[in-house]
């Protein structure tokens, strides 16, 4: 394929490493490999302002500079495994879902200010367990699917940090299920 621009592709996995690959005209070249987390990683996503984020079972989201050095900028600590992260469109706000194994602290969804790397709000709920699919809807609200019984799709109003609706599905959602917005 000709005319493909060069871009970096950060990839994560069970080896605790982020591997940054250069993609140029369908040729892949490894340009950086770094130990990013101390446990399994679930996602790497692009952020605004030349940054990207990664999340892991080591109870952290890490924010990285997206340049030649790929330096760690900030570590956002959670009370449990972090399964999913998104940045809300047009906002300097990151949303993370995390699962806590202990009985005293609830699992939940955390909202983070990406200007100051501070937690701004939390919504507690069991649905955060294996909520590996979280997306921003066209209206700015957030949808997440949970692969723990009763397998809800949860809609969160991002402006008020409240649960707007929970929809119980028949059957099960697995950690490999997909959640997407299609054109109407």
């Amino acid at each position: 394929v000709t005319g493909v621009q060069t871009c970096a592709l950060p990839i994560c996995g069970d080896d605790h490493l982020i591997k940054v690959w250069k993609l140029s005209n369908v040729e892949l070249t490894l340009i950086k490999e770094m130990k990013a987390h101390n446990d399994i990683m679930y996602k790497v996503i692009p952020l605004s302002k030349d940054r990207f984020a990664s999340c892991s079972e080591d109870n952290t989201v890490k924010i990285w500079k997206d340049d030649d050095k790929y330096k760690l900028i900030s570590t956002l600590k959670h009370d449990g495994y972090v399964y999913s992260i998104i940045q809300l469109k047009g906002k300097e706000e990151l949303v993370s879902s995390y699962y806590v194994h202990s009985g005293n602290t609830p699992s939940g969804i955390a909202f983070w200010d990406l200007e100051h790397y501070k937690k701004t709000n939390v919504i507690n709920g069991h649905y955060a367990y294996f909520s590996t699919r979280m997306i921003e809807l066209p209206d700015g609200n957030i949808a997440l699917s949970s692969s723990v019984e009763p397998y809800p799709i949860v809609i969160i109003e991002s402006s008020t940090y409240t649960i707007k609706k929970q929809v119980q599905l028949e059957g099960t959602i697995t950690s490999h299920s997909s959640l997407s917005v299609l054109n109407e």
Side-chain angles (χ1 to χ4, degrees), residues 71-91:
K71 296 257 184 201
L72 179 64
I73 297 172
S74 186
T75 299
L76 310 178
K77 295 183 181 180
H78 291 68
D79 293 325
Y81 295 173
V82 186
Y83 287 118
S84 189
I85 50 178
I86 61 171
Q87 180 180 2
L88 298 179
K89 293 178 185 90
K91 296 181 180 179

Side-chain angles (χ1 to χ4, degrees), residues 20 32 34 52 64-72:
V20 182
K32 180 85 172 185
M34 54 197 171
F52 63 92
W64 305 87
K65 183 70 178 159
D66 188 1
D67 61 11
D68 293 342
K69 295 184 174 75
Y70 302 102
K71 296 257 184 201
L72 179 64

Side-chain angles (χ1 to χ4, degrees), residues 85-152:
I85 50 178
I86 61 171
Q87 180 180 2
L88 298 179
K89 293 178 185 90
K91 296 181 180 179
E92 283 298 303
E93 189 169 29
L94 180 93
V95 184
S96 56
S97 70
Y98 60 94
Y99 172 68
V100 181
H101 290 280
S102 69
N104 295 339
T105 307
S107 300
I109 308 298
F111 295 80
W112 299 85
D113 171 357
L114 286 175
E115 291 287 334
H116 303 99
Y117 304 110
K118 301 284 183 199
K119 190 183 307 179
T120 59
N121 216 314
V122 173
I123 302 172
N124 294 322
H126 73 283
Y127 48 77
Y129 179 60
F130 273 117
S131 59
T132 54
R133 302 297 178 248
M134 183 168 43
I135 60 171
E136 185 174 5
L137 299 171
D139 63 4
N141 291 324
I142 300 160
L144 64 89
S145 62
S146 178
S147 60
V148 67
E149 199 169 347
Y151 314 109

